[in-house]
Amino acid sequence: MAFKPANQIQDLQYFGEFGGVNPSISDSSTYTFLSAKTMFDTFEGNADGCYLYSRHSSPSNLYLAEALAAMEGTETATVTASGMGAITAVLLQLCGAEDHVVSSRTIYGGTYAFLKNFTPRLGINTSFVDITNLERVEAAITPKTKVLYCESVSNPLLEVADIKGLAQLAKTYKLKLVVDNTFSPLSISPYHLGADVVIHSLTKFINGSSDTVGGVVCGTTELINDLRNVNDGAAMLLGATMDSLRAASVLKNLRTLHIRMQQHSSNAAYLAEKFEREGLKTVYPGLRSHPSYGLFKAMMNEKYGFGGMLTIDIGTLEKANALMELMQKENLGYLAVSLGFYKTLFSAPGSSTSSEIPEEEQKSMGLSDGLIRFSIGLDADIERTFTKMKACMTQLNIL
Ligand SMILES: *Cc1c(COP(=O)(O)O)cnc(C)c1O
């Protein structure tokens, strides 16, 4: 039977301390023990259900983590202060000096910078490959490789990873397949396709209101316990802990994610089709012209569509900037990085979110100057939005 991620979230029922319909927020950094022995056992990891100190865990953070684990179908999860807090903790937990990572070359700029510039200082090296080519991925694996890293739908080129194929490689070579699923929550369930670890930046679609940063690691109980270990856990020791107040607020937003994703997806599909029909170079995984349309379709939880992200390439950065400024003036969206907001957001990744990637490498991966990345909002009347966007393009001689 098909996996139904939104049902998994819906079935979780948490009451507040006084029968509140939302769980009480844990407003404490530290917790009392009735006996000194229990405190010792908790430090040793032998007292389940006891809280110690909120960098380790807190009730509010556990509620949110449990809901996200349910959504991804993993045993458990741990939330972090940001998406990068999740990504860096997982990579440093799984890799040490001399270890090697095989990563997609089209990934979030911060993750790219971490693997390219930061981890080599710790003796961890990375080969960046075209993730859509499984032969290339396999050829990059060495006896030192520990991790295969990718995004289910990549930023900003919207390449789609063949998670089942990558999971098979990970199994053969005894690697951990780590998938950043930030662009396709609910639409794609990487763990069900064979991934070992699923990461999200909660900052984007999952929280959806562009009012906080947050992250999560979903995986086995063993991995999550390792990450939180007081002696050598990367999440515990690097300290990127989410605040309880934030965890409570993200959990409330998670409750409407299924409705929001359907609207983001149907609006993005409508615009992508219209843009393509107007002759614009449009990339959207839900278009038949997308090289991985069939792959996405085979992996997806149908109901949530192909996601809210699309790109158009209008040739030059000057034109891209002029169009984005005009669309903002017409109140069609905001010229801003990030994604998953109720309002459409657009930016030129080459000079913003992917600027960490050197120019020649941007070229070789197909990231051109005139590329505009759109995170399509929840507009109630997307036909009207298209008409207005088209007028902007006509005014600037793009159409
Ligand atoms: C934003 C983003 C991140 C980083 O998340 P933060 O919450 O900003 O730390 C990682 N991966 C992807 C795909 C993202 O879009």
Side-chain angles (χ1 to χ4, degrees), residues 8 18 106 153 240 349 366:
Q8 304 293 315
F18 304 102
T106 57
V153 179

Side-chain angles (χ1 to χ4, degrees), residues 79-159:
V79 293
T80 53
S82 67
M84 286 308 296
I87 292 163
T88 54
V90 166
L91 289 169
L92 294 178
Q93 193 68 38
L94 296 176
C95 300
E98 307 276 290
D99 289 340
H100 176 248
V101 176
V102 174
S103 169
S104 166
R105 62 183 186 176
T106 57
I107 50 173
Y108 177 70
T111 312
Y112 179 86
F114 181 66
L115 287 172
K116 178 89 177 178
N117 308 326
F118 194 98
T119 58
R121 291 164 42 184
L122 309 173
I124 302 165
N125 290 298
T126 300
S127 302
F128 295 95
V129 297
D130 174 357
I131 203 73
T132 64
N133 184 333
L134 288 181
E135 279 166 28
R136 291 268 172 80
V137 175
E138 184 166 19
I141 296 169
T142 76
K144 292 182 171 176
T145 309
K146 289 279 156 61
V147 166
L148 265 185
Y149 187 91
C150 70
E151 296 172 3
S152 23
V153 179
S154 80
N155 180 41
L157 293 175
L158 310 181
E159 288 177 349

Side-chain angles (χ1 to χ4, degrees), residues 213-341:
V213 287
V216 68
V217 183
C218 303
T220 59
T221 306
E222 187 187 2
L223 173 72
I224 303 304
N225 283 345
D226 285 353
L227 281 166
R228 284 208 285 248
N229 189 297
V230 295
N231 294 306
D232 59 7
M236 180 68 183
L237 299 177
L238 296 174
T241 307
M242 179 177 280
D243 183 72
S244 290
L245 279 168
R246 275 306 181 190
S249 125
V250 176
L251 177 60
K252 282 176 278 191
N253 287 354
L254 179 66
R255 297 293 189 184
T256 57
L257 179 65
H258 58 298
I259 302 170
R260 291 186 280 113
M261 285 317 295
Q262 290 177 43
Q263 184 78 356
H264 283 300
S265 285
S266 69
N267 281 353
Y270 180 89
L271 289 179
E273 244 164 67
K274 290 284 189 190
F275 287 160
E276 188 170 63
R277 207 165 299 165
E278 293 292 335
L280 291 167
K281 236 169 110 185
T282 310
V283 175
Y284 181 65
L287 290 176
R288 274 161 211 280
S289 58
H290 191 287
S292 301
Y293 168 78
L295 174 63
F296 195 116
K297 201 161 165 54
M299 292 196 294
M300 79 197 291
N301 300 313
E302 196 92 34
K303 195 169 179 180
Y304 304 103
F306 291 87
M309 304 301 295
L310 66 85
T311 68
I312 58 174
D313 188 345
I314 54 173
T316 66
L317 183 61
E318 290 67 40
K319 274 191 188 173
N321 287 343
L323 177 60
M324 291 190 293
E325 285 169 10
L326 184 56
M327 286 191 301
Q328 176 161 261
K329 196 163 147 249
E330 296 296 324
N331 197 16
L332 294 169
Y334 298 140
L335 173 45
V337 298
S338 201
L339 45 129
F341 195 34

